[in-house]
Amino acid sequence: MPQDSALLPRYEHLYINGEWVTPIDGELVESIDPATGRPWAIAPLGGARDIDRAVEAARRAFPAWSRKPGHERAALLRRLADLFAAAIPELAVIESHDNGNLVREHRASLTAQVQWYQWFASLADKAQGTTIPIDDSVHAFTTRVPVGVVGAIIPWNAPLLATCLKVGAALAAGCTLVVKPAESTPVSALVLARLVHEAGFPPGVFNVVPGHGRTAGQRLVEHPDVDKVSFTGSTATARRMVRDGADNLKRFTFELGGKAPHILFADADIDNAINAATASAWRLTGQSCALGSRVLVERSIYDRVVEAFRERAKAVRVGLPWIDANHMGPQAHQQQLDKTLSYIQYGKEDGAELVTGGRRIDTPELAAGYFVEPTVFAGVDNGMRIARDEIFGPVASLIPFDGEDEAIAIANDTPYGLTAGLWTRDVGRAHRVSSRIEAGMVWVNTYSFLRWSTPYGGFKASGWGRENGIDALDPYLETRTTVISTTGQFPNLYV
């Protein structure tokens, strides 16, 4: 990796109103590669005034874009999907340099995102209203109209996927956007802006301003000309956003944290359940709100599952993300590494048994990066901090239970409710348990199955609204009711 910043790839401009512009009140920063701990690119961060001009551009573009026929918006989205597909090799490497996930995992995700953009294109002309029967004197009907200017605030753990879910739905609905990527993963959204430009979207429809949450993000939330904010991130940040956006009654969609229960009943196909549970615990270095980090295991198979986790953890190849044979890369940045290590210490302090892992990896090849061992705790009580808080690291907490009722009680004993999973051969149990779990998505005898057509979002503190599926357009549309008199008669009330 070059040490001289002059030799680093440079992405120096924001994308606003169809042009590449220099930040007004932002800065140029080094983007750090989590695998090496060293800078890999120079990227721009915008500030409040950059957000202002991006919102102004989106507001100017909104009337014409919102009136563009759905099939024309769909054609542009399909063109973007084609360009996106061609750029996957470049984008996969950029995403990996920015957040540390494996290049091969990024390639798989980006390939799926092509289908997501195609899916949203197929919805662009499907925002249909309804006719409301009343009587012959009026014709009453509804139409769906785009909400306006959208601020999309993107997390660092899956930058392009989160962007796709927001941008695809908003553009299909007829909204214009200002996208704010996380300050630690700014580059891929700028490359996406290049593809949007090449696809021929009108100026101002799509704008990108990377920046800090406390400056660019806060301004986007507070801005009176932003009609809606779609945010993926922490629940604590979402609560602050609601307060900051209250003055103009801004609309919000939130995809927030999770502490998913993954329930293994004794009557399950144990081998496949263990495959899913171990994959879920450590995939993406644990940096996903949907992963099953609380593994609830029926007591009669508990020791077997603990031992399987011990052996699987030792088999995980942790290493440089551009080597396809590796299973797990680094944490995305130093702060996240520190957080994960602190929670491993909490687990020890709270009395959980550290089965394996728990250390930063300091081999010569990996010592400069943010690598941590896949970690397993047994004997975990659901009141422990490692079971209650979202760690965002490769830490699995194995919790024993006895019977359905206790499993459900433990699963629901959390402020979160994003995803959950369960394994059983009993069809009746599958229906009974899944119907009682407080989560927006429940997987039975599989895990982390997500497609463009399956609505995704959380209960409780895990979010508001849904992404994916036909439901994805709803947060970006308003319903207008129109009542037309068929007689034109209105009585004089003052006779």
Side-chain angles (χ1 to χ4, degrees):
M1 184 66 63
Q3 292 299 303
D4 185 347
S5 63
L7 301 178
L8 298 175
R10 302 183 74 85
Y11 304 84
E12 299 184 0
H13 298 95
L14 315 174
Y15 184 72
I16 297 175
N17 200 34
E19 298 179 340
W20 295 99
V21 298
T22 302
I24 295 175
D25 58 354
E27 57 184 327
L28 295 179
V29 298
E30 294 177 334
S31 185
I32 303 300
D33 187 328
T36 65
R38 298 196 295 269
W40 78 273
I42 301 297
L45 298 182
R49 286 191 291 167
D50 297 304
I51 291 292
D52 286 347
R53 57 177 172 165
V55 172
E56 181 184 0
R59 177 59 63 192
R60 285 198 309 269
F62 175 68
W65 179 250
S66 65
R67 292 194 299 267
K68 185 177 285 292
H71 68 274
E72 294 183 14
R73 295 198 300 270
L76 287 168
L77 280 165
R78 292 190 181 98
R79 174 64 178 151
L80 174 60
D82 291 341
L83 293 168
F84 191 93
I88 285 174
E90 174 189 9
L91 290 169
V93 172
I94 287 172
E95 285 270 85
S96 182
H97 279 314
D98 253 0
N99 80 348
N101 286 342
L102 302 179
V103 172
R104 64 175 175 81
E105 289 180 327
H106 282 304
R107 282 197 299 263
S109 175
L110 294 167
T111 299
Q113 288 170 49
V114 175
Q115 299 304 315
W116 254 288
Y117 280 114
Q118 295 283 8
W119 167 260
F120 289 126
S122 75
L123 299 181
D125 58 358
K126 304 299 189 299
Q128 298 176 347
T130 59
T131 299
I132 305 170
I134 299 176
D135 58 45
D136 290 343
S137 67
V138 296
H139 176 56
F141 60 94
T142 64
T143 49
R144 307 300 305 283
V145 295
V147 71
V149 175
V150 172
I153 300 180
I154 309 302
W156 49 259
N157 64 315
L160 281 177
L161 177 58
T163 303
C164 171
L165 299 183
K166 301 177 192 310
V167 167
L171 292 178
C175 297
T176 55
L177 291 116
V178 177
V179 176
K180 191 209 80 67
E183 61 269 23
S184 61
T185 53
V187 177
S188 59
L190 297 169
V191 178
L192 178 63
R194 186 194 78 204
L195 303 178
V196 168
H197 189 87
E198 291 176 11
F201 283 81
V205 168
F206 178 88
N207 307 273
V208 177
V209 181
H212 293 285
R214 65 182 180 273
T215 52
Q218 183 168 341
R219 179 55 182 160
L220 195 56
V221 171
E222 293 175 343
H223 201 295
D225 278 340
V226 173
D227 300 290
K228 173 184 171 54
V229 168
S230 180
F231 168 71
T232 298
S234 76
T235 301
T237 301
R239 291 191 177 105
R240 290 196 298 272
M241 287 181 174
V242 172
R243 292 193 293 269
D244 292 342
D247 284 348
N248 64 338
L249 298 179
K250 201 177 306 294
R251 298 152 186 81
F252 290 97
T253 300
F254 292 134
E255 198 272 275
L256 305 175
K259 195 67 178 178
H262 200 164
I263 308 170
L264 279 57
F265 286 100
D267 66 355
D269 178 334
I270 303 301
D271 290 339
N272 278 301
I274 289 170
N275 289 345
T278 52
S280 169
W282 302 314
R283 184 171 171 268
L284 304 176
T285 321
Q287 296 172 140
S288 169
C289 45
L291 297 188
S293 55
R294 285 190 301 150
V295 186
L296 281 55
V297 186
E298 197 155 21
R299 199 172 299 274
S300 62
I301 60 169
Y302 187 77
D303 290 344
R304 175 181 172 184
V305 172
V306 170
E307 186 58 32
F309 264 79
R310 184 199 311 271
E311 294 305 316
R312 293 291 176 89
K314 293 177 181 177
V316 175
R317 290 189 293 274
V318 183
L320 298 172
W322 49 85
I323 298 175
D324 281 354
N326 287 334
H327 298 130
M328 198 176 88
Q331 301 265 245
H333 42 68
Q334 181 70 55
Q335 299 95 313
Q336 183 55 50
L337 174 66
D338 293 342
K339 180 182 178 183
T340 297
L341 293 174
S342 72
Y343 270 91
I344 291 170
Q345 183 60 35
Y346 295 156
K348 298 175 186 177
E349 293 172 0
D350 291 347
E353 175 196 351
L354 179 62
V355 175
T356 189
R359 295 182 296 270
R360 181 174 184 174
I361 298 174
D362 58 2
T363 61
E365 183 183 38
L366 304 182
Y370 310 132
F371 294 89
V372 64
E373 295 174 330
T375 300
V376 182
F377 279 102
V380 177
D381 178 271
N382 201 53
M384 294 178 180
R385 285 172 285 185
I386 57 173
R388 305 232 33 106
D389 299 342
E390 187 176 41
I391 299 172
F392 242 52
V395 180
S397 298
L398 276 57
I399 304 173
F401 71 86
D402 294 296
E404 287 182 20
D405 288 342
E406 186 179 13
I408 293 165
I410 295 172
N412 291 338
D413 181 19
T414 172
Y416 299 110
L418 185 58
T419 62
L422 66 100
W423 288 80
T424 177
R425 285 191 173 100
D426 184 332
V427 175
R429 168 175 281 167
H431 283 280
R432 286 192 305 272
V433 176
S434 63
S435 69
R436 294 174 61 190
I437 291 178
E438 298 166 353
M441 177 166 273
V442 181
W443 293 295
V444 179
N445 295 335
T446 187
Y447 202 88
S448 200
F449 182 92
L450 189 65
R451 294 295 185 272
W452 37 91
S453 54
T454 54
Y456 181 75
F459 289 10
K460 300 191 287 188
S462 285
W464 293 352
R466 293 295 179 269
E467 295 180 315
N468 292 344
I470 296 173
D471 298 37
L473 257 62
D474 284 345
Y476 300 97
L477 295 169
E478 297 275 30
T479 297
R480 175 191 290 125
T481 301
T482 304
V483 180
I484 300 176
S485 171
T486 60
T487 67
Q489 301 298 307
F490 201 96
N492 181 354
L493 302 180
Y494 304 108
V495 295

